[in-house]
Amino acid sequence: MIRKKIMISGFLCLLCGTMLVSCKPARQGEKSSDAFTASMVADVRPIEEIKVSAKMDESSQVRISWNQVSRAASYVVCRSDNDGSEWKKLKELTPDKTSYVDDTAAMGMDYHYKVEAACEYSQTDHFAYDKDQMPQKLTAECNIYTGVGGAFWDQKAMKAKQQKIGEILLTYSFGGEGKEAVEPEGVEIYRGTSAGHMKLLERGLVKDISTQEFDFGTNYVDSAVEQGKTYFYQIRAYALLNGERVYGKRSDAIEVQAAEPEGVYSLRLVREPDSYRSNIVVALTSTKKENGVLTLLSDILTQKITMMYRMSADYYAQQAMDGSEVTVSTASRSSDQKQAKKPPYQAMKLKADRYSMDGRYFQSVTGDIVLDPQKTVYLELSPAASGQTLLASANLSVEEISFQARYNEGKHLMKLDVKGQKAFMEDLSSDGGYQIWTESATKGQSDQIRIGLLSRYSGNQTLKISQEQLLAVTYRYQRKNDDKLLEMTLAAEKYSTDGVKWKKVSGDIMLKADELVYLQLVPQQDRIPYRQKGQRHGDLILSGTYGQNTSWTLQTDLLKGE
């Protein structure tokens, strides 16, 4: 009887053991042995992660918040003042808490916070998870900057050209450099004539000194500026805490040029060259009283004035019939070509020998000449190179003089149309100002084409065109009734610095500011389509190195005039 009871007890133990083994959840990749195991797995809770954040509250204290962890027995909040290398325990909290206010945090500090959840696991957890899947602590960190939120210039808005004369519109917005920070109440705006010398321009609450608010920014108007003058600005925000100003960081300095009116000028040809004098006198007048101040720079006037001109067809033909030497800066004909029907476009360097402010008493140019609004300056201009002469205006169909000048504080190109008796200014880009024109080419098909290239801005950097690039000049064109853009490669066979003496290209060409060069281009095959009937494009593309820019490209349409 006893033996029978022992056998029954052993059988029951074996049965229970089998049930317990089958109740344990299946490992990853295994299949559960029965439906009861699946039910147990469904009841097992996942082990959560903890996430933490920090934010400044209305009383300028730091509030640390986190999500509730179901297995947490307690939470410990720690703070680091040195990027997390050392931690200080602030408080241990019960498991029902999910936030803590740090009332010991100082302003202007970069704090790191850490929350640790001490976990307790149930028998079911121990049954369901391996030991390395049940961490004793869950930890998360965050950081916060407790300073004043920064004020920053709106870079996109500030790059726009100023519109109103006598004012500069400044646009700024607030932020915390990507961190939560105290909301600013006021700003300080600094102004100077350079980034290193700033003085306080305005201080006040945003609502008092701003002109308007929109979306994410605020505007301030500086109404004490001179037209065309360049100013530098900085801004910093502050908050009022316990009656005192707490400052954020100063912004980077921005450079802004005040608006200026478009200068209106007129030109009059006072004296033409004759048999006694190879110079001209022109009168340049600042027409409107709203004009800015125009400064004619002495180093430009004495050596860096350029005249672009073309002889009239009648004068050109008469010179050819008489067999006279054509007084131009480039050869009027080549040895293997007939006289071109169209006079070439020419360039000549001029200099201002003397000037006058009243048209009667002239003096040598020894310094800059300042032309105020509604004033006139008289310039006596002559060829810069000896042996060159100027033609009378009646013998020219085009006569344009250009030189760099300073309008208020900006650099401009002053252009004088002597034939049309007009004067106007042109903005100069930072990438340089260049002009290309056709010296000679046969209409229709040509075996060669000569072009002139002028670096017309004295502030230009040196343009380097390598020999390899000179042998790979691109010419793009379209034929009549054909939308297909065709392309051919031209090679610079010869070059000249005066249009008279030509040399074979054997190396790189360096074109400095205010210099010009002539290039004779030939096709590698076929002939060059130039001004064919119905031709819609004749784009010439030159590549080179401009200063440090090694991928500089100059493109011009030769069909649209010079």
Side-chain angles (χ1 to χ4, degrees), residues 464-501:
K464 173 185 175 182
I465 307 176
S466 68
Q467 184 177 10
E468 181 181 357
Q469 291 168 322
L470 288 168
L471 297 176
V473 179
T474 301
Y475 183 69
R476 292 176 182 164
Y477 62 97
Q478 279 180 304
R479 293 194 178 99
K480 182 180 180 181
N481 300 324
D482 189 355
D483 293 332
K484 186 178 180 180
L485 190 63
L486 304 176
E487 184 175 294
M488 68 165 46
T489 300
L490 308 179
E493 184 181 54
K494 296 180 181 180
Y495 77 98
S496 173
T497 56
D498 58 8
V500 177
K501 298 178 181 179

Side-chain angles (χ1 to χ4, degrees), residues 51-106:
K51 297 180 181 180
V52 63
S53 62
K55 185 176 182 179
M56 301 293 293
D57 64 14
E58 295 181 356
S59 59
S60 301
Q61 295 176 329
V62 180
R63 177 176 293 275
I64 306 100
S65 303
W66 58 90
N67 59 295
Q68 191 169 35
V69 178
S70 61
R71 293 178 176 83
S74 64
Y75 299 103
V76 175
V77 181
C78 301
R79 187 183 74 195
S80 174
D81 304 345
N82 49 17
D83 296 332
S85 57
E86 296 179 1
W87 294 95
K88 174 185 176 182
K89 180 179 177 180
L90 296 179
K91 189 74 173 178
E92 183 173 352
L93 301 168
T94 56
D96 59 318
K97 303 296 184 183
T98 56
S99 66
Y100 172 73
V101 175
D102 181 9
D103 55 7
T104 64

Side-chain angles (χ1 to χ4, degrees), residues 5-21:
K5 290 182 178 179
I6 292 174
M7 290 179 63
I8 293 173
S9 298
F11 177 75
L12 291 175
C13 290
L14 180 61
L15 179 61
C16 290
T18 303
M19 291 179 64
L20 288 173
V21 171

Side-chain angles (χ1 to χ4, degrees), residues 238-296:
Y238 67 83
L240 295 174
L241 299 175
N242 298 323
E244 296 188 6
R245 287 188 293 269
V246 178
Y247 290 98
K249 295 179 181 179
R250 278 200 191 191
S251 71
D252 294 333
I254 58 166
E255 182 180 354
V256 185
Q257 183 181 10
E260 59 187 4
E262 294 186 6
V264 179
Y265 293 86
S266 61
L267 182 73
R268 180 167 56 92
L269 179 60
V270 178
R271 189 181 72 206
E272 293 200 63
D274 52 32
S275 57
Y276 300 101
R277 292 168 294 196
S278 181
N279 56 41
I280 61 173
V281 176
V282 295
L284 177 62
T285 301
S286 178
T287 308
K288 291 189 174 182
K289 65 178 181 179
E290 295 84 6
N291 279 0
V293 176
L294 180 68
T295 303
L296 310 183

